[in-house]
Amino acid sequence: NETSGTIASDTSGKGRHGDVNDVNGVSWVNDAERGRCLDFAGGDYVLDNDANLYLNGLHGLTMCLWVKNRETIAIDQGFIIFEDPIGNDDRDMRYDAAGANGGGVSVIKCGVTTTATTGQVQQIESSNNSQTTAWQHLALTWSTGEQLKLYINGVLDTPTDNRPGTVGVTTGATSLIVGKGCKDGAATAGWNGLIDYFQIYKYAVSAVEVATVKAGCAIAPKPVHYPPPSSAEVYEGEAQGSRVINFKDYAELVDNWLLEIKYPQ
């Protein structure tokens, strides 16, 4: 939320501040939807060279942020990486024009690397056409032995590809770079758009926590509603992420009274 300067302050209290590297005109802006945030022109980035001290040896990890793409969709540009970009999706989050493993288009691709004896690199490629030019909240979670999970605007995504989970701890992180991905090694390559409210957790946050974090990042935070999973949720006509137990569920149950066992399922 700074208005100027070359430091992106860490509000966690742990002093993990980032150095703002202005290559093509990075600037602090006041966005109508998000408030104060950083505006990146390809090549700009925020760097924490000490990230190896807190990103390695973890049994769980979450990274989440708000991004807004200034270009068209179906692009190859990144916004988070834990090492110098060398073309490998081992430790990053980015937009990918064409998924390599799932065959998707306009996907979001992420990777986490662990000390597992086999399958050290876990990758996920989102559902098709997940890229957008609107503000988008993204949250990637990983826990040892589990597959990666990607939440887009608070909703768990159904990926086109997701590598199997492996047991181990995070490894190989050398730095934290905000504003670049694995394909952004050139000095003028990187995210072309806005980034706001980047967060890291040293465990895999739950779906409820993702919704809470997303709501708390708003200019004027609103109460969070997260419908609990239940077999009484029979009618599923509400929008994804907004399904609740209501009279429509009751009506469906009554309509099939003594004809079909629907509850408990």
Side-chain angles (χ1 to χ4, degrees), residues 62-143:
T62 297
M63 40 185 165
C64 51
L65 76 170
W66 285 91
V67 293
K68 186 175 184 180
N69 166 30
R70 192 177 7 249
E71 299 190 6
T72 59
I73 59 172
I75 59 173
D76 290 310
Q77 287 182 8
F79 23 85
I80 300 295
I81 191 165
F82 292 168
E83 60 185 342
D84 289 338
I86 54 175
N88 299 324
D89 288 295
D90 295 349
R91 304 167 183 88
D92 72 335
M93 294 180 70
R94 67 181 180 92
Y95 272 10
D96 192 7
N101 302 311
V105 295
S106 295
V107 299
I108 300 165
K109 189 168 185 176
C110 314
V112 171
T113 300
T114 72
T115 57
T117 54
T118 59
Q120 293 92 341
V121 179
Q122 289 184 225
Q123 294 180 354
I124 187 172
E125 295 174 1
S126 74
S127 55
N128 285 310
N129 301 309
S130 292
Q131 297 184 18
T132 178
T133 55
W135 274 110
Q136 186 177 54
H137 186 262
L138 303 174
L140 177 74
T141 70
W142 168 81
S143 184

Side-chain angles (χ1 to χ4, degrees), residues 4-5 16 32-33 56 59 79 104 106 125 131 182 198-199 214 227 256:
S4 63
R16 309 298 189 187
E33 294 182 55
N56 293 315
H59 291 86
F79 23 85
S106 295
E125 295 174 1
Q131 297 184 18
C182 75
F198 170 64
Q199 296 174 295
K214 176 178 177 290
N256 293 278

Side-chain angles (χ1 to χ4, degrees), residues 7 9 32 61 89 104 133-134 146 149-151 162 169 175 180 182 189 197 199 201 213 232 238 245 258-259:
I7 299 295
S9 299
L61 175 70
D89 288 295
T133 55
E146 302 292 332
K149 293 180 180 179
L150 177 63
Y151 295 84
N162 198 358
V169 297
S175 59
K180 283 181 176 287
C182 75
Y197 220 91
Q199 296 174 295
Y201 297 83
V213 167
E238 298 98 347
I245 300 170
L258 298 180
L259 298 178

Side-chain angles (χ1 to χ4, degrees), residues 21 28 31 38-39 49 85 88 109 113 139 171 175 186 195 200 202 221 226 228-229 235 244 259 263:
N21 289 265
W28 301 99
D31 182 75
L38 269 176
D39 187 347
N49 257 329
N88 299 324
K109 189 168 185 176
T113 300
T171 187
S175 59
I195 296 180
I200 294 180
K202 60 181 180 180
Y226 183 83
Y235 173 83
V244 294
L259 298 178
Y263 176 76

Side-chain angles (χ1 to χ4, degrees), residues 232 234 248-258 262-263:
V234 180
K248 290 184 177 180
D249 301 293
Y250 176 74
E252 188 166 331
L253 289 170
V254 171
D255 192 48
N256 293 278
W257 190 253
L258 298 180
K262 302 201 72 170
Y263 176 76

